[in-house]
Amino acid sequence: MKDILIIREENNYNKAILDFLKNKYVTSIIDFSAKDTEFALVSEGIPLIVAFVSDILPASLVELRRIIMYLKNNHICLLGTLFDFEKLEELIEKDNVHCIEIPLPIDSFQRQFERMLAHNVDLNSLAKTASRKHSILLVDDDPVCLRNMMSWLQNFYQVAVAKSGTACISFLAKTIPDLILLDYEMPVCNGVQTLEMIRNEPEYADIPVVFLTGVSDTEKVKDAIKLKPQGYILKNTDRIEFMNKIKAILGE
């Protein structure tokens, strides 16, 4: 399990600081990419991001903004100048974002970095939390949708699949998941009918259920909300937003 995910542009980072971090902590190093960052944080159980932002390129700045906006459950330490921080002024006020001004002597950096860790980031406890895997039951009859969501979820959670409402109920008779992702529109027994069956069984009634839907019809969504699911996720939601919604629902 890694302690720190280091993000930097290929030829734009402080070598002395990078060497210090690599020597003292278990690190993983990547370029600026919101998708790669999200994947590394969850699959490798990394609780802290350190990003070199001095003279950051526009494309990298866009990716960094996405990282700060979407990855709300991890601490982010930005290393750069006051001018660099001004570019992110509206984002660095978040509680999980910390800034250390560089360049500065390595012993000064070490003191500031370790002070930041002591006050804000418990690497061991956060890493343990990140490593726990919740269980998810994915209920959908669309093989393409199943394949896509499985590819997103399986590295981070224990995932089981049911291809119909009746298969879902049969699964619940044997295993209770932490979360059910339920397709809104399925043949024979649709998502609303399936949720009604779940809510009518005392053993299953309290399982969090989230609808997966391509439906934009407001009235249909209102009908579903009457059954008190934990919410709904549109099937065209991108991977990072999808994963962040799942993590928020599971309280991660």
Side-chain angles (χ1 to χ4, degrees):
M1 182 176 295
K2 306 289 175 56
D3 294 323
I4 299 173
L5 176 66
I6 298 172
I7 309 175
R8 85 294 178 258
E9 292 170 333
E10 185 174 356
N11 298 309
N12 191 12
Y13 55 87
N14 184 298
K15 185 178 185 305
I17 291 176
L18 183 64
D19 289 343
F20 162 76
L21 294 173
K22 288 166 60 180
N23 290 333
K24 182 153 187 179
Y25 303 97
V26 183
T27 61
S28 183
I29 303 175
I30 63 172
D31 297 325
F32 282 90
S33 165
K35 288 186 177 181
D36 290 347
T37 299
E38 192 269 346
F39 183 85
L41 290 175
V42 184
S43 63
E44 299 185 37
I46 304 177
L48 174 65
I49 301 168
V50 173
F52 288 92
V53 300
S54 294
D55 299 320
I56 189 171
L57 294 173
S60 297
L61 183 60
V62 170
E63 290 298 302
L64 180 61
R65 286 178 178 275
R66 296 187 71 192
I67 291 167
I68 295 175
M69 288 175 63
Y70 293 145
L71 303 180
K72 301 174 182 178
N73 297 324
N74 295 82
H75 285 265
I76 303 170
C77 179
L78 305 180
L79 308 180
T81 66
L82 291 177
F83 177 75
D84 298 313
F85 298 152
E86 287 176 359
K87 299 176 185 177
L88 299 163
E89 184 176 2
E90 76 280 13
L91 296 174
I92 61 177
E93 295 179 358
K94 296 179 181 294
D95 292 339
N96 65 322
V97 179
H98 318 282
C99 298
I100 297 178
E101 188 178 359
I102 60 171
L104 74 172
I106 192 63
D107 56 339
S108 298
F109 171 79
Q110 180 176 351
R111 286 195 297 271
Q112 289 194 40
F113 187 76
E114 292 180 347
R115 190 181 304 122
M116 181 271 295
L117 289 180
H119 291 163
N120 300 287
V121 187
D122 182 342
L123 291 179
N124 290 328
S125 66
L126 282 173
K128 289 176 182 176
T129 299
S131 68
R132 296 179 189 143
K133 282 195 173 185
H134 287 94
S135 58
I136 295 176
L137 175 61
L138 180 56
V139 186
D140 200 319
D141 66 308
D142 182 345
V144 174
C145 188
L146 281 175
R147 185 167 59 251
N148 288 341
M149 285 186 287
M150 279 291 292
S151 70
W152 293 353
L153 293 167
Q154 63 188 356
N155 289 320
F156 314 137
Y157 303 103
Q158 299 174 23
V159 184
V161 171
K163 296 184 179 180
S164 68
T166 53
C168 170
I169 300 302
S170 297
F171 178 91
L172 296 179
K174 301 175 183 178
T175 306
I176 303 298
D178 295 313
L179 173 66
I180 298 173
L181 299 180
L182 178 60
D183 185 19
Y184 183 87
E185 293 186 304
M186 294 184 293
V188 183
C189 182
N190 65 29
V192 172
Q193 293 167 324
T194 302
L195 182 53
E196 286 175 339
M197 291 191 291
I198 292 171
R199 293 292 187 246
N200 287 333
E201 293 291 336
E203 297 89 346
Y204 318 148
D206 295 330
I207 302 173
V209 176
V210 172
F211 277 116
L212 300 170
T213 178
V215 175
S216 58
D217 188 312
T218 304
E219 292 305 316
K220 289 185 178 180
V221 170
K222 286 181 179 178
D223 287 341
I225 297 302
K226 290 176 185 177
L227 293 170
K228 297 182 179 180
Q230 271 54 49
Y232 66 93
I233 300 176
L234 295 175
K235 288 188 175 183
N236 62 358
T237 300
D238 70 35
R239 179 176 179 271
I240 291 178
E241 184 179 355
F242 177 88
M243 294 300 295
N244 275 312
K245 287 185 176 182
I246 297 301
K247 287 191 287 184
I249 292 163
L250 290 170
E252 297 180 335

